């Protein structure tokens, strides 16, 4: 979820790249799960997040919805999935009784980079350290690349850039439409093409995504 807010208010004022050291390591959290509670619908999931969850848990997108692990909400006019908080505790549906993440090895990208955030500019992005988000004190320095712990990180970053600006372009397109039914139809089309229709776990995700992305971008945005 994109936020329009002053970086001076939320960060240490620095921009970080993959090879920079950042004070983000929280010593395995040691029982703290504050960042996994009370997040509402703010943990928006991208297609790679869903690919990781469905392939590693051996479930479908619909099964994740039906089990109450994710939910759908409208984000700036678009229907997109997000991690669901439990209604009684406001804790993430993937958090176990010990306060540990049941899908830590394949957790979503937003969870993976926390307490880092992303700042987008000129069709790219850099990382920031959010100084008020993590409750753990005495965090230690770690290389950004190691902290994110994502294979093929450069491919992943390019995917994040492409997806971010594609969504912004689609949201801008929706704002020009007058027909609510047409807007919903377009939103459901994106949801079906990139989330509901599964990507094969036998093939490279990024290649499959680029095929769909190139085709659908050409159809919708020219």
């Amino acid at each position: 979820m994109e936020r329009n807010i002053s970086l001076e208010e939320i960060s240490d004022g620095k921009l970080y790249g993959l090879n920079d050291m950042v004070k983000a390591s929280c010593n395995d959290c040691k029982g703290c799960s504050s960042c996994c509670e009370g997040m509402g619908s703010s943990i928006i999931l991208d297609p790679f997040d869903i690919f990781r969850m469905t392939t590693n848990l051996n479930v479908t997108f619909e099964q994740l919805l039906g089990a109450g692990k994710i939910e759908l909400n409208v984000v700036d006019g678009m229907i997109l999935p997000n991690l669901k908080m439990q209604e009684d505790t406001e804790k993430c549906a993937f958090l176990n009784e010990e306060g540990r993440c049941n899908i830590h090895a394949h957790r979503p990208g937003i969870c993976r980079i926390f307490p880092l955030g992303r700042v987008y500019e000129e069709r790219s992005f850099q990382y920031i350290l959010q100084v008020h988000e993590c409750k753990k004190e005495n965090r230690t320095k770690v290389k950004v690349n190691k902290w994110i712990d994502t294979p093929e990180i450069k491919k992943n970053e390019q995917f994040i850039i492409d997806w971010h600006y594609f969504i912004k372009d689609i949201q801008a397109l929706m704002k020009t439409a007058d027909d609510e039914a047409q807007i919903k139809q377009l939103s459901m089309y994106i949801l079906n093409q990139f989330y509901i229709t599964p990507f094969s776990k036998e093939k490279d995700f990024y290649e499959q995504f680029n095929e769909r992305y190139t085709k659908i971008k050409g159809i919708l945005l020219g």
Side-chain angles (χ1 to χ4, degrees), residues 76 78 165-177 186 221:
D76 294 330
M78 289 194 67
Y165 286 102
F166 174 71
I167 290 297
K168 286 182 68 69
D169 290 342
I170 294 298
Q171 289 170 335
L173 179 63
M174 287 178 167
K175 291 179 180 178
T176 66
L186 176 57
L221 301 172

Side-chain angles (χ1 to χ4, degrees), residues 87-119:
E87 294 180 3
D88 54 342
T89 64
E90 277 300 304
K91 295 181 179 181
C92 175
F94 285 109
L95 207 63
N96 64 26
E97 293 180 357
E98 288 74 40
R100 307 297 284 178
C101 178
N102 279 326
I103 59 167
H104 191 264
H106 38 276
R107 63 200 183 281
I110 292 178
C111 305
R112 192 171 289 272
I113 70 173
F114 184 86
L116 303 183
R118 302 188 190 107
V119 176

Side-chain angles (χ1 to χ4, degrees), residues 8-11 114-115 129-135 139:
E8 287 75 17
E9 295 179 20
I10 65 171
S11 77
F114 184 86
L129 175 63
Q130 302 177 91
V131 294
H132 305 301
E133 299 296 328
C134 180
K135 306 300 182 185
R139 293 193 302 273

Side-chain angles (χ1 to χ4, degrees), residues 161-190:
I161 292 168
D162 290 340
W163 182 249
H164 174 82
Y165 286 102
F166 174 71
I167 290 297
K168 286 182 68 69
D169 290 342
I170 294 298
Q171 289 170 335
L173 179 63
M174 287 178 167
K175 291 179 180 178
T176 66
D178 298 322
D179 189 342
E180 289 294 329
Q182 185 180 23
I183 293 173
K184 184 176 181 181
Q185 183 180 26
L186 176 57
S187 187
M188 288 303 300
Y189 177 70
I190 299 297

